[in-house]
Amino acid sequence: MKKGLLLIPLALLLAISLVAIGCPAEEEPPPPPPTDGGEPPPPPPPEEVFEWRWQCGDVPGETEWEITDPLLEQLIEEASGGRVQVERYPHGTICYLEEMVEATTMGAIEMSNYPAGYASEIAPSSLASEMPMGVRDAYELYELHHAWGMLEVQRQEYAEHGLYLLAPLYCGMGAVDTTFPVNTVDDFDGKLMWVIPNLLWLAEFGAAPTEVPDFDMYMATKLGTIDGFWWPYKGLKDYNHREVVTYVMRPRLAAAVMHVVVNMDAWNALGPELQMRIQDRVDARLFEGFVAIDEFTEVAVAEAEDYGIQFITLPEADVAKLNAASRGFWDEITGLSPATTEAIGIYKAWMEYRGIPW
């Protein structure tokens, strides 16, 4: 009996040994056989990274450089997952405003932004972004371009000349800063004024349009070269214009708007998916920068009033005269191109919708 009991552990030990021998150690599975009988397929290539040089039309200290430009750069890089890397350059580093359209078209730079009208020779509809006595704030500018489709009309005209219009950049509302009081439009008579082309009709009230090299309104006013100039109200702060002028006219004359364009070859190289991701992100969030510009403007105006700048609001009769005179410019540019005619038609319909006097 005892002998049989001794045999049981021996049998168990033998069974365990056999099981262990039959279960080899776990090994890495072999690689799948090549489908074509050759070497395994190589890993997919890394995604291409695109380097964009952005020649800005502004400089450090300007709200555009400090607020809207970095926001746009961030949106492009985030939306692309880092595949588009943007390098910003202050105005004049690679080229100047008057050279940006051609430089971007030729591919000397991938991206630029400039006052909208600088592209009027190739895309006359660009002028529609800064029409006088039109939009009154950032919200209306965004609504006109995006919700009402004016941006798409301009974009198609740009595309015919090798440029992709990525977005308008809002730079604030503006009127004229002067060293003399403007109580009525008659006060412009005989005064030397720097104005953008969209406001040359101020000459109907006797203003004498005067050129200012390098847009240096500060020194031109300080030296007496000009008696006043048109500029966004925020320039009282970011350009220190409050130090050289005494009066600011109300109401607004026009919105200051820049156009951001990308070389078409650089844009097409991204492919449809990446293009859509970038454009959607820009459309959804760039408006945050527009709002920030208006908020900065409010601060600039408040500080200018504390500084002693006098803001003079014209009587309604004089505002009506400004409206009437400005409409001549609208008529002048309407037929410059089919796109311009369409853009101005959209603008007029929008103004009627918003109840802005024509």
Side-chain angles (χ1 to χ4, degrees):
M1 186 70 178
K2 290 182 179 178
K3 184 176 180 181
L5 292 173
L6 290 171
L7 291 173
I8 292 174
L10 290 172
L12 289 172
L13 180 62
L14 179 61
I16 293 171
S17 299
L18 290 172
V19 169
I21 293 170
C23 298
E26 197 172 307
E27 297 180 359
E28 291 289 328
T35 56
D36 59 356
E39 294 296 323
E47 292 184 312
E48 184 178 359
V49 175
F50 303 91
E51 304 284 346
W52 282 5
R53 295 159 295 177
W54 177 5
Q55 174 58 76
C56 295
D58 28 71
V59 295
E62 275 189 280
T63 48
E64 291 77 21
W65 178 269
E66 306 295 339
I67 297 176
T68 46
D69 292 357
L71 174 59
L72 180 55
E73 177 183 348
Q74 173 190 336
L75 295 178
I76 293 171
E77 294 184 349
E78 285 180 352
S80 68
R83 291 184 59 198
V84 178
Q85 295 293 312
V86 180
E87 184 71 26
R88 284 192 295 141
Y89 296 91
H91 177 246
T93 305
I94 301 176
C95 60
Y96 292 92
L97 286 172
E98 58 271 16
E99 303 165 324
M100 287 185 189
V101 173
E102 183 177 6
T104 313
T105 303
M106 295 176 61
I109 49 179
E110 286 72 35
M111 181 174 173
S112 63
N113 69 293
Y114 46 78
Y118 270 75
S120 60
E121 289 190 6
I122 65 166
S125 64
S126 62
L127 292 165
S129 288
E130 291 187 307
M131 296 305 289
M133 310 302 288
V135 299
R136 296 165 294 194
D137 56 30
Y139 293 95
E140 292 187 343
L141 182 89
Y142 188 88
E143 179 182 57
L144 171 66
H145 282 79
H146 292 81
W148 282 68
M150 195 173 80
L151 178 61
E152 188 56 37
V153 173
Q154 295 170 319
R155 182 172 287 156
Q156 291 174 10
E157 187 170 41
Y158 266 106
E160 297 172 4
H161 300 277
L163 293 173
Y164 181 75
L165 177 55
L166 183 63
L169 278 187
Y170 173 68
C171 306
M173 301 305 303
V176 290
D177 301 353
T178 59
T179 57
F180 61 95
V182 181
N183 295 301
T184 74
V185 292
D186 294 333
D187 292 324
F188 284 118
D189 191 28
K191 302 299 183 182
L192 303 176
M193 302 289 298
W194 181 89
V195 293
I196 58 176
N198 298 30
L199 300 175
L200 288 173
W201 48 268
L202 284 176
E204 293 183 24
F205 304 108
T210 305
E211 291 293 325
V212 174
D214 299 324
F215 303 100
D216 191 349
M217 305 305 151
Y218 186 101
M219 287 305 299
T221 307
K222 186 175 183 178
L223 296 173
T225 305
I226 55 176
D227 301 307
F229 53 90
W230 176 89
W231 206 266
Y233 294 120
K234 67 182 184 63
L236 294 164
K237 180 176 175 67
D238 63 0
Y239 271 87
N240 293 317
H241 288 159
R242 64 189 181 189
E243 296 178 0
V244 294
V245 300
T246 309
Y247 306 93
V248 176
M249 188 192 83
R250 283 174 169 161
R252 92 288 178 216
L253 288 179
V257 181
M258 288 184 146
H259 279 177
V260 183
V261 296
V262 180
N263 172 271
M264 188 61 78
D265 289 338
W267 179 251
N268 287 337
L270 303 182
E273 181 181 352
L274 205 53
Q275 289 173 345
M276 183 180 298
R277 284 162 51 187
I278 291 173
Q279 190 65 71
D280 286 351
R281 181 71 67 90
V282 170
D283 290 346
R285 291 198 49 202
L286 187 59
F287 181 70
E288 297 169 17
F290 292 15
V291 174
I293 292 293
D294 273 351
E295 291 173 347
F296 182 91
T297 298
E298 291 180 6
V299 173
V301 168
E303 291 183 359
E305 288 176 325
D306 291 341
Y307 192 84
I309 300 298
Q310 298 181 46
F311 288 79
I312 301 175
T313 300
L314 292 179
E316 289 186 12
D318 286 87
V319 175
K321 291 177 182 179
L322 291 174
N323 271 328
S326 73
R327 301 317 177 208
F329 179 77
W330 289 66
D331 294 338
E332 179 183 340
I333 75 164
T334 296
L336 290 179
S337 70
T340 309
T341 302
E342 186 176 357
I344 295 300
I346 291 172
Y347 207 138
K348 288 181 177 180
W350 172 85
M351 288 181 66
E352 182 177 358
Y353 167 76
R354 282 294 175 192
I356 299 176
W358 181 261

